[in-house]
Amino acid sequence: MSVIEKKLKDRSNVQCELCGNEHDLHVFNVAPYTDESLEHSILACKTCIAQIENLEEIDLNHWRCLNESMWNENLPVQIVSWRMHARLKNIDMLEMMYLDEEALEWAKATGEGDDDEGKIIHKDSNGNILEDGDSVVLIKDLDVKGANFTAKRGAAVHNIKLVWDNAEQIEGRVENQHIVILTQYVKKTK
């Protein structure tokens, strides 16, 4: 065990500084820094690290822990919390956080939070971000106007297309009909 790892374990009471997990803990260097140090590293669990490093691993329920870790007194923990809030589009939480100019520059060093101003984000009924090509399931029976049929709850819609100028609409095929669907009535499938 390195000296820094021991100090991080002391600082965190041997818990992940993001989610509080007590198992499978590792030193995580907060980019762009690559050397272990108290000023630039956190103690994080394997689950948090995997999701930080791989966008496709993100489990929204896991990151509810950010509501507490964002207030951590240690700057590297605040930086990672800010980045994850930015990645998850938790704008309200980002607005609550205060980082001085230097810290904010560090937080944005990986590109999180860039080019999101005015960007339309499509989300399903659970708040999961939707992208072109995703598959969704209807969570409610929907009367399809002009097509004289009802799209049944549980129907899968594959390879959706986002309506570029409306965050509340997607397009897809149901019963061989191309229809527009409101995002509040769909749930993303994995």
Side-chain angles (χ1 to χ4, degrees):
M1 177 184 319
S2 71
V3 172
I4 297 301
E5 185 176 359
K6 182 177 180 349
K7 288 182 178 181
L8 287 172
K9 285 184 175 183
D10 290 343
R11 177 175 91 182
S12 68
N13 294 323
V14 194
Q15 293 181 340
C16 175
E17 292 183 280
L18 297 169
C19 72
N21 188 349
E22 297 176 349
H23 305 287
D24 227 349
L25 302 173
H26 305 279
V27 175
F28 179 78
N29 301 320
V30 182
Y33 302 101
T34 56
D35 296 333
E36 289 184 4
S37 72
L38 283 176
E39 296 79 27
H40 302 124
S41 303
I42 64 171
L43 192 66
C45 68
K46 184 179 178 180
T47 302
C48 284
I49 292 171
Q51 293 186 39
I52 290 168
E53 293 178 338
N54 186 352
L55 288 169
E56 282 151 37
E57 296 281 323
I58 290 184
D59 172 9
L60 294 176
N61 287 327
H62 178 79
W63 291 105
R64 290 185 177 162
C65 62
L66 292 173
N67 295 341
E68 289 183 34
S69 65
M70 66 189 262
W71 304 114
N72 189 293
E73 63 187 11
N74 299 296
L75 186 58
V77 179
Q78 293 173 23
I79 297 298
V80 174
S81 295
W82 188 95
R83 287 178 181 171
M84 291 309 296
H85 276 307
R87 187 178 293 174
L88 297 170
K89 314 292 188 229
N90 292 336
I91 306 305
D92 293 341
M93 295 301 193
L94 284 173
E95 290 175 355
M96 279 196 266
M97 288 187 77
Y98 172 77
L99 297 176
D100 63 30
E101 274 186 51
E102 192 175 312
L104 190 56
E105 191 175 310
W106 179 16
K108 290 183 176 183
T110 57
E112 298 294 346
D114 287 351
D115 300 321
D116 289 342
E117 198 77 24
K119 184 176 177 184
I120 293 178
I121 306 295
H122 293 73
K123 293 184 178 182
D124 73 0
S125 59
N126 293 328
N128 297 314
I129 295 174
L130 298 171
E131 296 179 13
D132 277 334
D134 282 346
S135 293
V136 296
V137 172
L138 301 180
I139 62 168
K140 176 182 175 181
D141 287 352
L142 301 174
D143 290 327
V144 181
K145 295 178 183 174
N148 295 330
F149 78 93
T150 299
K152 296 292 184 188
R153 176 181 177 192
V157 183
H158 301 289
N159 198 24
I160 65 167
K161 298 288 181 219
L162 306 180
V163 174
W164 69 272
D165 62 345
N166 189 334
E168 297 177 1
Q169 295 179 345
I170 59 171
E171 297 176 357
R173 294 187 83 70
V174 176
E175 295 186 24
N176 275 342
Q177 294 283 329
H178 184 82
I179 63 173
V180 174
I181 307 166
L182 296 178
T183 56
Q184 67 189 13
Y185 300 126
V186 300
K187 180 174 71 172
K188 183 176 180 176
T189 58
K190 302 229 175 191

